[in-house]
Amino acid sequence: MRDDNCIFCKIAGGDIPSTTVYEDEQFRVFLDLSPAAKGHALVVPKEHFANLFEIDDEVLRDLIVVAKKVAIAIRDALGCEGMNIVQNNGPLAGQTVFHFHLHIIPRYADDGQNINWVPGTSDPETQVKIAEAIKGALKA
Ligand code: 5GP
Ligand code: ZN
């Protein structure tokens, strides 16, 4: 299904041009317009899913295989020294385009990026409670 108001539906469908590096029946992979680093690419399903919570399992399985293939090609073509795979869900988590996409961000020694988080603290009792809550939700 397509959402006519969604920019990534239009890009994935070829209605809006993009710098495409890979395309098949299900996916388009294109370079990010505001790249975090040279070769920053987005893996986008042609079908519209808002985020990870909504995406079809089979599409997701196929998507990660495409992401791996393109990630290897980016590494080989551009000689990056590392790579971050980032996927944002919801505005609070930094999602700005509400059509599922996986960021492939090649990393270079001098790229000036800091794709990271501030490490927090934990205690065993709280961790067990959190784990129990999640396990309960998984069973539901
Ligand atoms: P998000 O913040 O939702 O995880 O990532 C959205 C990404 O899409 C951003 O990195 C942004 O630069 C990129 N982006 C937004 N609009 C366009 C566009 O029209 N073309 C391309 N190639 N990238 C876009
Ligand atoms: Zn869409």
Side-chain angles (χ1 to χ4, degrees):
M1 275 258 292
R2 255 183 79 138
D3 176 341
D4 286 340
N5 297 314
C6 171
I7 185 159
F8 278 10
C9 279
K10 290 179 184 148
I11 292 176
D15 303 327
I16 291 180
S18 63
T19 315
T20 295
V21 299
Y22 175 89
E23 185 186 3
D24 64 22
E25 239 178 55
Q26 288 192 94
F27 306 106
R28 184 184 295 271
V29 185
F30 52 92
L31 298 183
D32 196 296
L33 204 57
S34 310
K38 184 176 66 177
H40 180 171
L42 302 171
V43 186
V44 177
K46 291 186 175 177
E47 200 173 335
H48 180 88
F49 305 100
N51 52 40
L52 181 69
F53 308 120
E54 312 258 318
I55 192 168
D56 176 84
D57 286 355
E58 260 181 51
V59 174
L60 184 61
R61 271 187 216 112
D62 290 347
L63 183 144
I64 200 69
V65 174
V66 166
K68 179 183 174 187
K69 194 195 307 221
V70 175
I72 290 169
I74 290 173
R75 182 197 65 188
D76 292 351
L78 304 179
C80 59
E81 293 168 47
M83 194 167 268
N84 290 107
I85 302 299
V86 177
Q87 198 275 311
N88 299 325
N89 296 283
L92 193 74
Q95 186 177 12
T96 58
V97 177
F98 299 96
H99 177 130
F100 182 100
H101 52 281
L102 198 74
H103 294 259
I104 298 176
I105 307 177
R107 299 301 304 276
Y108 308 90
D110 60 352
D111 63 22
Q113 287 293 344
N114 181 23
I115 300 165
N116 228 320
W117 59 87
V118 180
T121 54
S122 66
D123 63 81
E125 202 183 316
T126 309
Q127 292 290 71
V128 167
K129 274 192 198 146
I130 293 167
E132 289 305 325
I134 296 168
K135 287 191 278 186
L138 278 169
K139 278 187 210 138

